[in-house]
Amino acid sequence: FSDKMKDFWVKSAYQTFKVIDNPNLYDRDKLKSLIIKIKPYSQDVKNGLFIVCKALYNIGVTVVFQDYLSTTQVRGGTFIINGKPCIVLTDFNKSYPTLWFTLLHELHHVLFDFDLIETNSFHLTGEADLFLIEEKANSFARDFFMSEEKFNYIKSQINNPYLVSKFANVNEVHVSIIYSFFTWYQKEKYNKKYYGAFVKFYPDYKNSLTKLNPLSWNDESIKSVGERIKKILEIN
């Protein structure tokens, strides 16, 4: 059942990207230049992700959001279609910082695993890491938002909301990203669960997706969905 659901997920995403058919040429150098400008947009819950996705579309990288399908364990995915990168984000953890982390994770795959993914047509994040590329992509995403040195400093102040908020502003990241990294760190290093400790600092992730017009499994047809998303992402 799980394999059938995943197959359905992959085929739906693939067909959606085929309909969108991004007309812009993919330029790796432009992507490298754009990535370094992304971080501050995480502070804008309502518009940040939307603005970044439109900018990526303009350089040949198409990003869409699909509802998470139960049992698939897919957090995101990268497809190479007609020589252009296509990224899918899901609400696997239903968490705002996870959306940003996954986006940077997938952009790492685009930058450094393009040929490997093109050979296999797509890569799904959350599957078994057969090529040992997930660890590098995760490290890239973590370091992008916060270096280990900076994290080691702020983790000792994690129970001081004022200092954490000030630190987030100085480092141009949404405060929830800091709390999510601390929660992950405690789980990985000490097997301690802090998932509910900082929930009040996490914005509703759905607010960041409103303008992106997320894909829903209740949508009437892939063609109409793809055309709708294409219209949204086109730069005016």
Side-chain angles (χ1 to χ4, degrees), residues 89-205:
L89 306 178
T90 78
D91 57 348
F92 176 51
N93 284 335
K94 303 191 183 303
S95 164
Y96 179 72
T98 299
L99 289 175
W100 285 98
F101 183 88
T102 302
L103 175 61
L104 267 297
H105 177 110
E106 301 303 333
L107 287 175
H108 177 276
H109 287 320
V110 172
L111 283 174
F112 302 106
D113 304 311
F114 189 99
D115 292 340
L116 177 62
I117 296 173
E118 188 170 33
T119 300
N120 293 277
S121 297
F122 62 89
H123 171 78
L124 302 184
T125 297
E127 288 195 308
D129 189 9
L130 300 179
F131 301 101
L132 300 178
I133 60 177
E134 292 297 271
E135 184 176 346
K136 291 180 181 179
N138 284 336
S139 294
F140 174 83
R142 283 195 299 268
D143 292 342
F144 174 83
F145 287 108
M146 188 169 303
S147 68
E148 184 176 358
E149 180 182 3
K150 289 181 177 180
F151 175 73
N152 286 335
Y153 164 76
I154 197 58
K155 72 181 182 184
S156 63
Q157 310 292 332
I158 201 67
N159 290 313
N160 187 323
Y162 171 76
L163 288 181
V164 174
S165 177
K166 186 176 180 180
F167 184 82
N169 288 332
V170 169
N171 288 278
E172 298 184 304
V173 297
H174 192 275
V175 68
S176 65
I177 291 176
I178 297 177
Y179 289 115
S180 70
F181 280 13
F182 179 81
T183 299
W184 173 87
Y185 174 81
Q186 291 294 322
K187 177 66 170 61
E188 291 295 310
K189 192 170 181 66
Y190 304 111
N191 198 29
K192 292 183 178 180
K193 297 181 180 180
Y194 278 76
Y195 298 115
F198 309 109
V199 66
K200 65 181 179 180
F201 298 106
Y202 286 57
D204 186 344
Y205 75 96

Side-chain angles (χ1 to χ4, degrees), residues 32-50:
K32 289 165 65 177
S33 298
L34 178 60
I35 282 179
I36 61 176
K37 303 173 184 176
I38 287 177
K39 187 166 66 170
Y41 288 94
S42 68
Q43 297 175 300
D44 184 349
V45 175
K46 186 176 180 180
N47 300 303
L49 191 60
F50 175 65

Side-chain angles (χ1 to χ4, degrees), residues 50 64-66 208-216 219 224-225 228-230 232-233:
F50 175 65
V64 301
F65 174 86
Q66 269 187 321
S208 66
L209 299 171
T210 304
K211 290 187 175 181
L212 278 175
N213 212 334
L215 287 158
S216 168
D219 277 310
S224 62
V225 170
R228 188 174 72 229
I229 294 173
K230 181 180 179 69
I232 291 167
L233 291 175

